[in-house]
Amino acid sequence: MTAYEVAVAAEATLGEGPTWDPVTGSLLWLDILGMRLHTYDPVTGRRTVRTTPQHIGAAKPRAGGGLVLNLRDGVGLLDPDGTFRWLRHEPVPGRRGNDAAVAPDGSLWAGTMRYDEAAGGGTLSRLAGDGTARTVLDDVTVSNGTGWSPDGRLMYYVDTPTRRVDVFDYDAEGIRDRRPLVEIEEGAGYPDGLTVDADGCVWVALWDGGAVRRYTPDGTLDRVISLPTPRTTACAFGGPALTDLYITTARTGLAAPHPLSGSLLVVPNAGKGLPQPAFAG
């Protein structure tokens, strides 16, 4: 599978976080280091760009409208009228928010990392709708892709330098029994953002791998989407039927980036995604 198309030609420094918003019928995506929040409507082609006050690692729809943002200094709420307020403000020098995902119960699982990518300098935390937070993992280097199986009983997670996609048992009490689902072989890149499809398969973007891979629930590789952009960052299903796979890319750190590096790509009819819960806050 290599039949990608260019959804939005852009030069994002660190494109990330594709998320389908079913209420607006648009795809949210970010330029973390460029401090930009993008939207793209695939039906009309309409695009918007909003500047954020800090580096932004993730933006997810809220149940009551607006967005929840994982920022450098904590997690904030953006109301439908554009008003911003902090849900949890906890700045740590040298650290920023990175990827985040909404769990089946509507909680936000928000990751952090150090700018210098120091080993163990990041975390993964669970935030309830009222802002109550607890640290779930506290020895993380680059907290990245997080997703849940269709039945909500498994959680998948990436700490990028480990080269693994890990899986946990998940329930209302939290996560337990961490084990590897797959390990990315040397030379194939590093796992970054991920999404889970309606068949329970895990799609993972490979940083410095120029590809998105699909793994079955038992860890078998069964599809590869090869891309010309070496720094592939994340993927998510979108479109009215959740059948189109959107892929973000980056150009940061590349001496001679590909012309499409930093663009939003799409593979039409790649599969069938899962409707994503909105944040309960």
Side-chain angles (χ1 to χ4, degrees):
M1 286 178 58
T2 56
Y4 70 89
E5 298 176 4
V6 180
V8 177
E11 293 187 351
T13 303
L14 182 52
E16 263 284 6
T19 300
W20 181 251
D21 184 346
V23 175
T24 63
S26 61
L27 189 92
L28 306 167
W29 64 287
L30 315 165
D31 182 352
I32 293 178
L33 300 180
M35 297 187 292
R36 298 286 189 273
L37 169 59
H38 297 260
T39 69
Y40 168 65
D41 182 332
V43 174
T44 66
R46 183 174 183 268
R47 297 161 50 191
T48 69
V49 183
R50 180 189 181 101
T51 302
T52 60
Q54 299 183 350
H55 291 157
I56 176 171
K60 305 294 177 182
R62 293 162 56 197
L67 301 172
V68 60
L69 310 178
N70 195 26
L71 296 162
R72 184 193 66 199
D73 293 344
V75 174
L77 300 177
L78 188 65
D79 290 334
D81 65 2
T83 302
F84 174 82
R85 54 199 163 94
W86 287 105
L87 178 66
R88 188 169 185 85
H89 188 229
E90 47 180 359
V92 175
R95 194 183 77 176
R96 67 168 175 85
N98 203 44
D99 204 357
V102 179
D105 65 358
S107 59
L108 183 75
W109 291 56
T112 64
M113 59 175 285
R114 289 194 57 82
Y115 281 96
D116 62 6
E117 300 185 16
T123 60
L124 179 68
S125 298
R126 177 193 181 277
L127 280 82
D130 62 1
T132 303
R134 62 181 173 88
T135 300
V136 179
L137 298 173
D138 61 3
D139 187 19
V140 174
T141 301
V142 179
S143 188
N144 256 316
T146 307
W148 284 264
S149 59
D151 63 7
R153 297 174 61 184
L154 299 174
M155 189 186 91
Y156 300 98
Y157 178 70
V158 168
D159 181 1
T160 293
T162 66
R163 289 187 178 273
R164 298 192 314 268
V165 179
D166 288 340
V167 58
F168 298 80
D169 293 327
Y170 171 88
D171 58 25
E173 302 300 316
I175 53 175
R176 61 189 179 279
D177 191 18
R178 183 176 188 170
R179 65 265 189 198
L181 176 73
V182 297
E183 185 163 356
I184 306 301
E185 67 274 18
E186 191 78 28
Y190 294 83
D192 200 328
L194 64 77
T195 193
V196 182
D197 67 21
D199 295 324
C201 295
V202 179
W203 300 71
V204 59
L206 298 182
W207 175 273
D208 282 345
V212 174
R213 291 181 174 183
R214 179 186 192 248
Y215 291 93
T216 63
D218 66 1
T220 300
L221 175 64
D222 75 342
R223 294 191 204 171
V224 178
I225 299 172
S226 298
L227 301 164
T229 50
R231 299 204 153 164
T232 310
T233 58
C235 54
F237 282 94
L242 294 178
T243 55
D244 303 327
L245 187 71
Y246 286 90
I247 303 165
T248 48
T249 64
R251 51 196 300 117
T252 184
L254 295 172
H258 187 275
L260 291 179
S261 290
S263 294
L264 176 68
L265 308 178
V266 61
V267 179
N269 299 311
K272 179 66 174 178
L274 291 168
Q276 296 300 299
F279 176 57

